[in-house]
Amino acid sequence: MDFSWSKEQKELLDAVHRFAARELAYDAIQADRAGQFSHDAWKKCGVFGIQGLPVPPEYGGLGCDPLMTAGVLERLGYSCKDNGLIFAINAHLWTVVMPLITTGTDSQKRKYLPGLSSGAIVGANAMSEPNFGSDAFNLATTAQRDGAHYLLNGSKTFVTNAPVADLFAVYATVDKSKGPHGVTGFLVEKNTPGLVIGRKIEKMGMRTAQMAEVFLEDCPVPVENRLGQEGGGSLVFSRSMTWERGCILASAVGAMQRILETCIRYAKTRKQSGQSIGKFQHVAGKIVDMKLRLETSRQLLYHSAWLRSQGKAGFLEAAMVKLHISDCWIKTCEDAIQVHGGYGYMVDYEMERELRDALGSRLYSGTSEIQKNLIASLLGL
Amino acid sequence: MKILVPFKRVADPGSYVDQGAVEERKWIINPFDEIAVEEAIRIKERGEAQELVGATIGSEGAEEQVRTAMAMGLDRAIRVDDSRYLDAYAVSRILEGVVRLEKPDLVLMGKQAVDSDANQTGQMLAGRLSWPQATFVSKIEFVSGFTIARCTRETDSGLEVITVDLPAVVTTDLRLNEPRYVSLPSLMKARRRPFEVLTVEQIGVDVQSRSTVLKSSPTPRRAAGVRLETVEQLVACLRNNDKVL
Amino acid sequence: MIESLVLIEHCAGSIKRSSLNAARLACRLGDHFALAVLGNGVVEIAESVRALGARAVLLADSPLLAEPLADRYAAVLAAMARRLGARNLLGTSSTFTKDVLPRTAALLDAPMLSDVTGSETVNGETVFQHPVNAGSVSATVKLEGDVRVLTVRGAAFATPVPTGAPSPIEMFSFDPAALPNGTQFVSRDTRPSGRPDLTEASVVVSGGRPLKDKETFERLIGGLADALGGAVGATRAAVDAGMVPNDCQVGQTGKTVAPELYFAVGVSGAIQHMAGTMDAKVIVAINRDPDAPVFQMANYGLVGDLHELVPNLIAAIRS
């Protein structure tokens, strides 16, 4: 079993750090405070190749397999402190780009993938609704066929990237009586009449990622913009969900590495009672725990990615990745604050922001409770 | 105009961790040489140069840096296969051989390598070729129909402007430019582009280093001193203890 | 037999004192050394170095050498070294010697070692120490060959004291037509700062990026330097940000200083900067961040806002 990256893979991975150190080293404290989306950082990531990682080269991407994709995202998480930017990229990649790759028609791919890959176009996913979060497939937004169009009506919430998006993947039902089997996916361009972006939603963390409600009021979507078949919405969703669950926390592994290194440095240099605090067992113990969490997360991440690179479905593993890494990330951030003592609570030391950013990870892409239910059912319980 | 850009593979200074274990050492293009690569590319982007050739001396590991330099935008590259420790004397003689093969109009390279800190190779090369040199350059432009380079140099007494007739050797200083990063797509494309590997014999050079490192040791670190609370305390210490005020 | 030739540096009619320090090393490498003075109308410079115990002061005085163009200077210097049959060609590390001496080494087919900090004898041979890796490592090096070129780190060798008998000045002649002429001098932008030279000052006050802008830098760093009669230095970041000109940069790729007292104000302590301050006697660090690496290298540290501390310090010094 060879656990190492090849020379070629390493060269690409090393390039990520150099890129991020140069272009994404802006003041993360200030960015978090301002809570603005950085179009500049987004575009730079696009030019660098992030948004095109899994996209086939014929549509303008890099055609990377899940392993390489996870590796690049891990490095990005390590080298870029703006978790909000990375979250925005992840939302774009897994909820718009990936469904297009797996389910889009050739003309849809030709029309949208190049721009999505280069960062010229921002994608957003309108799935959750005020009354339907985890219970997504009972959604209430409707799509009524009207000649060459569907008319969409309803409201969506928690739409990441909505205020800055150019293309929306919107899920609506063509027949409420069919329950999940009526759910259908649609690609809706910004500025389509009847597509209304609501007020910005302020979040606890990842504040540079923008989020808003989206209202659909007789919004006309051409038939050729339907994603997949009528009633095939849950299929679109589940095809890309394994990628999403498997990769969305790859950057968290990088963040945990960075946080671990920061804590080790701090524990070595901060002195109390005449010695470095790293010599105190309780402090050292926390750092050891961080290391363990980092390594178990890393192993799970890459094993899941490897399975998918081998063409295996890997549902169970992806759910475990999402569940485990979110828990590890949050706990590591809590421990990091504690290691820093009073300074951990201070904005300037950046640990408090890491925790605020991490806390969302048990909620998006399926809450931890949903992941557990899924794993339980896959275990046959 | 044809520009030759020699560059050196160095350990990433950021990966010098003096406490605890260093896992894998990271390697990069010497930052000053990277500035030279960037400048050469900008000169070509302005339409003032037609061919950019990179050259490095080292073993197979150096091919990572060759690909990076090509991904930045060089047209061709040469790796001279030589894994010996080479001092500036030897490097300048090997580069002289490369220059005689490639016949560039300009050699553009970093002023010093951040590991050896020698700041000699470019000047030695210029001396061997009997070409004019412009060192520690922070700005370069071409005049008189690209036969002359007008260079601003950073010296101990400030900025100085000279002109050098081409062909010439120019060494770059920090503020000449800020190099672009290499994107993943360009790295992947560069992988498919071949580059030459030559031996010193093929270049027609037979040279040994003229310096040998007998031993190296970390320089003694200064001991951390005292934290003071007020400026008055500081002034008192400096006046009474150290007598430097 | 004159074993060593030492290149003297001068600017605007006065000698650069630290350029004499290389003569100290010359004395260790042989019984006799000569000094080389190149320029235009620099007889007085040559006169001023007659009392240093050199066997001769070689003077190449010509309008063609009015500016220190490396191709011309190297050609003349190499000819001088050949005529003497010198084994060693020395200088004190500066942008001038860095420009001229390596080229001269190539003309003499000689190796070169920069920034020598010391020498010792090993198996009957002299070997030299010098810093590498931004000064974090000291390497001991042996040089091969009939001729070797060396620059010394100014602070590592003391300025020679005047001795008795004055050295003779020998006019060194060369064929002007044989001199390279592919380089032309255009202009130099030297503003006299009214402050001591950075590499020679006994007090240096350096500032980093937290000084924010040119005016604040001048007010606080310049103000503190003036209160102490010292020179102004800067980190690369401060120079890049345009707060001060490049000749204030202290560090691995800037100047090396060795004052009695060095203030690092708003300087984090990155090794690339501190490499230039290794030889300072007392280092004082003023920084807002108590964990800044600079405090590990400073004799005294003050944690706080430099915008308050520096004016208070200036006032305390003046009182």
Side-chain angles (χ1 to χ4, degrees):
Chain A
M1 204 181 295
D2 187 353
F3 279 56
S4 51
W5 297 103
S6 72
K7 211 167 48 148
E8 289 76 22
Q9 287 171 325
K10 257 199 282 227
E11 274 180 37
L12 294 177
L13 296 175
D14 285 345
V16 179
H17 181 69
R18 278 199 299 278
F19 156 69
R22 229 162 265 194
E23 303 293 335
L24 303 178
Y26 46 83
D27 184 346
I29 298 175
Q30 172 51 29
D32 170 72
R33 190 173 286 144
Q36 306 285 354
F37 179 78
S38 171
H39 289 273
D40 182 60
W42 175 274
K43 287 209 159 48
K44 284 179 170 150
C45 289
V47 169
F48 180 71
I50 306 282
Q51 284 90 318
L53 281 168
V55 177
E58 58 266 33
Y59 298 114
L62 296 175
C64 287
D65 65 10
L67 263 176
M68 201 59 209
T69 304
V72 171
L73 289 172
E74 184 201 340
R75 294 298 189 284
L76 188 63
Y78 175 81
S79 310
C80 171
K81 291 192 210 173
D82 188 353
N83 293 312
L85 172 70
I86 300 178
F87 182 67
I89 292 173
N90 272 305
H92 165 99
L93 272 173
W94 311 124
T95 64
V96 181
V97 172
M98 191 47 71
L100 253 176
I101 293 173
T102 57
T103 312
T105 62
D106 185 60
S107 67
Q108 286 170 342
K109 291 185 206 184
R110 250 176 245 296
K111 186 170 182 192
Y112 296 117
L113 279 178
L116 289 166
S117 298
S118 71
I121 301 178
V122 180
N125 181 48
M127 175 89 176
S128 300
E129 297 181 0
N131 292 328
F132 299 99
S134 294
D135 188 17
F137 290 111
N138 279 319
L139 53 81
T141 301
T142 57
Q144 195 148 19
R145 184 72 182 254
D146 178 27
H149 289 86
Y150 288 87
L151 290 177
L152 269 54
N153 277 286
S155 58
K156 297 293 187 183
T157 189
F158 299 153
V159 184
T160 305
N161 294 340
V164 299
D166 304 288
L167 183 68
F168 294 79
V170 182
Y171 293 84
T173 181
V174 292
D175 185 346
K176 191 87 174 111
S177 70
K178 290 194 179 144
H181 299 295
V183 174
T184 308
F186 297 92
L187 296 167
V188 185
E189 295 182 19
K190 163 176 93 163
N191 294 331
T192 305
L195 174 75
V196 180
I197 314 301
R199 62 181 184 88
K200 183 174 140 172
I201 300 173
E202 292 244 26
K203 308 184 303 306
M204 176 180 195
M206 297 190 299
R207 289 173 44 80
T208 55
Q210 308 299 296
M211 190 182 264
E213 298 170 318
V214 170
F215 305 104
L216 300 137
E217 296 160 6
D218 278 347
C219 177
V221 180
V223 171
E224 57 267 23
N225 272 28
R226 191 187 65 223
L227 192 55
Q229 301 306 315
E230 275 196 13
S234 54
L235 194 57
V236 178
F237 195 72
S238 61
R239 273 197 195 127
S240 58
M241 195 31 99
T242 312
W243 268 91
E244 178 173 336
R245 288 192 180 127
C247 291
I248 201 165
L249 293 182
S251 54
V253 175
M256 279 192 270
Q257 166 108 26
R258 178 183 69 242
I259 293 169
L260 171 67
E261 289 174 7
T262 306
C263 288
I264 292 176
R265 268 196 305 273
Y266 187 78
K268 279 177 163 175
T269 54
R270 171 79 173 166
K271 290 188 164 46
Q272 290 288 274
S273 311
Q275 60 180 326
S276 56
I277 62 171
K279 298 281 187 221
F280 298 134
Q281 272 190 325
H282 289 304
V283 175
K286 289 191 173 54
I287 295 177
V288 169
D289 289 341
M290 277 187 218
K291 174 68 172 172
L292 268 167
R293 283 183 217 118
L294 166 62
E295 294 306 330
T296 55
S297 295
R298 187 172 269 150
Q299 299 306 319
L300 264 182
L301 174 74
Y302 288 115
H303 181 241
S304 151
W306 178 81
L307 279 171
R308 281 176 288 120
S309 294
Q310 302 290 303
K312 309 245 181 5
F315 295 129
L316 172 63
E317 289 75 10
M320 289 199 295
V321 164
K322 174 65 178 35
L323 177 62
H324 182 66
I325 299 184
S326 56
D327 276 343
C328 288
W329 191 15
I330 291 167
K331 195 77 184 72
T332 285
C333 292
E334 286 177 345
D335 279 351
I337 289 176
Q338 206 65 18
V339 164
H340 281 75
Y343 290 108
Y345 202 65
M346 305 298 146
V347 169
D348 276 353
Y349 276 71
E350 303 192 270
M351 292 297 128
E352 63 81 29
R353 186 190 71 244
E354 298 276 10
L355 178 61
R356 283 190 289 111
D357 288 344
L359 275 163
S361 64
R362 281 202 286 240
L363 302 166
Y364 53 74
S365 296
T367 61
S368 293
E369 291 78 5
I370 292 286
Q371 306 301 338
K372 274 204 178 153
N373 287 347
L374 180 61
I375 296 167
S377 76
L378 287 169
L379 289 173
L381 300 168
Chain B
M1 193 189 313
K2 179 178 188 179
I3 306 180
L4 178 72
V5 187
F7 54 89
K8 183 180 181 185
R9 166 174 151 104
V10 297
D12 184 352
S15 69
Y16 285 140
V17 176
D18 45 10
Q19 293 150 302
V22 183
E23 25 157 69
E24 280 188 29
R25 186 69 37 102
K26 291 243 166 351
W27 298 90
I28 55 171
I29 297 178
N30 176 41
F32 289 99
D33 296 331
E34 201 186 4
I35 290 172
V37 172
E38 172 66 27
E39 194 65 19
I41 294 169
R42 291 188 190 188
I43 294 170
K44 184 174 178 196
E45 282 170 349
R46 291 201 295 267
E48 297 176 345
Q50 287 68 46
E51 193 183 359
L52 308 178
V53 184
T56 195
I57 305 170
S59 58
E60 244 186 84
E63 296 191 350
E64 183 192 341
Q65 278 62 49
V66 171
R67 271 190 289 273
T68 304
M70 286 178 70
M72 281 175 76
L74 299 182
D75 298 303
R76 289 174 39 228
I78 298 167
R79 171 174 75 83
V80 178
D81 183 38
D82 196 332
S83 50
R84 300 175 289 170
Y85 160 74
L86 295 169
D87 60 7
Y89 172 86
V91 172
S92 64
R93 286 197 38 195
I94 295 174
L95 289 180
E96 182 192 1
V98 176
V99 169
R100 295 205 191 285
L101 268 183
E102 288 289 329
K103 302 186 185 22
D105 303 290
L106 175 67
V107 174
L108 190 55
M109 56 196 282
K111 76 173 184 184
Q112 74 193 63
V114 297
D115 50 7
S116 59
D117 287 331
N119 199 331
Q120 296 166 12
T121 309
Q123 296 85 304
M124 286 184 170
L125 175 62
R128 295 210 168 265
L129 294 167
S130 300
W131 285 10
Q133 67 188 51
T135 54
F136 337 129
V137 168
S138 60
K139 183 167 172 204
I140 177 170
E141 50 193 357
F142 300 98
V143 295
S144 300
F146 305 112
T147 58
I148 294 180
R150 191 186 153 101
C151 302
T152 304
R153 306 176 54 229
E154 292 202 357
T155 72
D156 286 341
S157 45
L159 298 177
E160 180 187 279
V161 180
I162 61 170
T163 61
V164 288
D165 295 349
L166 298 187
V169 175
V170 172
T171 74
T172 65
D173 212 324
L174 282 175
R175 279 169 277 276
L176 179 59
N177 63 47
E178 213 180 298
R180 64 196 65 195
Y181 59 85
V182 179
S183 69
L184 294 179
S186 59
L187 261 177
M188 286 166 105
K189 278 200 206 97
R191 195 167 286 165
R192 294 191 282 277
R193 288 168 55 204
F195 53 87
E196 279 174 83
V197 180
L198 299 174
T199 62
V200 279
E201 290 80 35
Q202 286 171 303
I203 296 180
V205 173
D206 177 14
V207 65
Q208 310 287 330
S209 290
R210 289 277 188 91
S211 56
T212 319
V213 178
L214 299 176
K215 62 176 193 263
S216 299
S217 49
T219 43
R221 303 179 125 263
R222 294 178 77 104
V226 181
R227 294 282 168 107
L228 300 174
E229 299 294 314
T230 67
V231 300
E232 288 73 25
Q233 280 180 342
L234 175 64
V235 173
C237 285
L238 294 176
R239 243 179 213 139
N240 306 328
N241 298 359
D242 306 276
K243 309 207 196 301
V244 287
L245 269 189
Chain C
M1 163 88 234
I2 300 182
E3 290 93 342
S4 304
L5 179 61
V6 180
L7 175 63
I8 296 303
E9 185 173 348
H10 57 88
C11 188
S14 44
I15 245 209
K16 191 164 169 194
R17 268 183 30 244
S18 58
S19 73
L20 304 171
N21 297 5
R24 285 274 186 186
L25 180 59
C27 291
R28 289 195 208 171
L29 298 176
D31 296 321
H32 305 291
F33 67 94
L35 302 173
V37 179
L38 284 72
N40 186 35
V42 289
V43 172
E44 276 173 35
I45 301 280
E47 294 281 350
S48 74
V49 293
R50 291 181 71 188
L52 294 174
R55 284 279 262 149
V57 177
L58 301 189
L59 172 60
D61 200 314
S62 157
L64 290 172
L65 302 175
E67 297 293 343
L69 301 175
D71 51 359
R72 298 179 197 186
Y73 271 50
V76 172
L77 196 56
M80 283 182 175
R82 279 189 212 107
R83 183 155 331 153
L84 285 181
R87 178 149 193 231
N88 310 296
L89 175 56
L90 297 126
T92 303
S93 196
S94 69
T95 50
F96 166 64
T97 56
K98 283 176 191 179
D99 191 29
V100 174
L101 287 179
R103 188 187 179 102
T104 316
L107 296 179
L108 297 168
D109 195 34
M112 176 168 168
L113 199 66
S114 307
D115 287 310
V116 171
T117 49
S119 65
E120 56 180 308
T121 316
V122 169
N123 295 335
E125 274 209 63
T126 314
V127 297
F128 307 93
Q129 290 99 34
H130 79 139
V132 290
N133 295 131
S136 59
V137 173
S138 177
T140 304
V141 180
K142 186 171 76 139
L143 294 174
E144 321 276 348
D146 298 328
V147 183
R148 29 191 205 191
V149 179
L150 303 148
T151 58
V152 306
R153 198 167 160 109
F157 294 85
T159 312
V161 285
T163 66
S167 327
I169 296 182
E170 286 177 23
M171 297 302 297
F172 187 83
S173 58
F174 56 91
D175 176 8
L179 218 52
N181 68 346
T183 314
Q184 309 298 328
F185 176 79
V186 176
S187 63
R188 184 174 292 118
D189 160 33
T190 324
R191 303 132 279 102
S193 71
R195 292 187 178 121
D197 177 79
L198 193 49
T199 58
E200 300 183 350
S202 58
V203 178
V204 173
V205 181
S206 277
R209 210 206 313 250
L211 271 306
K212 291 209 191 80
D213 55 46
K214 207 151 74 159
E215 292 69 36
T216 313
F217 197 100
E218 175 55 31
R219 183 167 50 86
L220 297 179
I221 303 299
L224 183 54
D226 290 338
L228 294 163
V232 164
T235 62
R236 174 197 168 165
V239 177
D240 282 355
M243 293 181 216
V244 272
N246 74 286
D247 49 312
C248 291
Q249 183 169 325
V250 170
Q252 179 192 18
T253 68
K255 288 179 176 162
T256 307
V257 301
E260 299 277 293
L261 178 55
Y262 186 87
F263 279 89
V265 180
V267 169
S268 65
I271 190 158
Q272 287 83 0
H273 175 76
M274 299 312 283
T277 67
M278 272 160 36
D279 299 310
K281 185 170 159 225
V282 176
I283 296 182
V284 178
I286 298 177
N287 199 299
R288 209 184 54 145
D289 176 6
D291 295 318
V294 69
F295 289 117
Q296 302 303 315
M297 295 173 246
N299 300 73
Y300 299 110
L302 267 175
V303 178
D305 182 359
L306 60 91
H307 294 92
E308 279 176 31
L309 288 172
V310 175
N312 291 349
L313 184 54
I314 296 175
I317 290 168
R318 289 199 190 280
S319 69

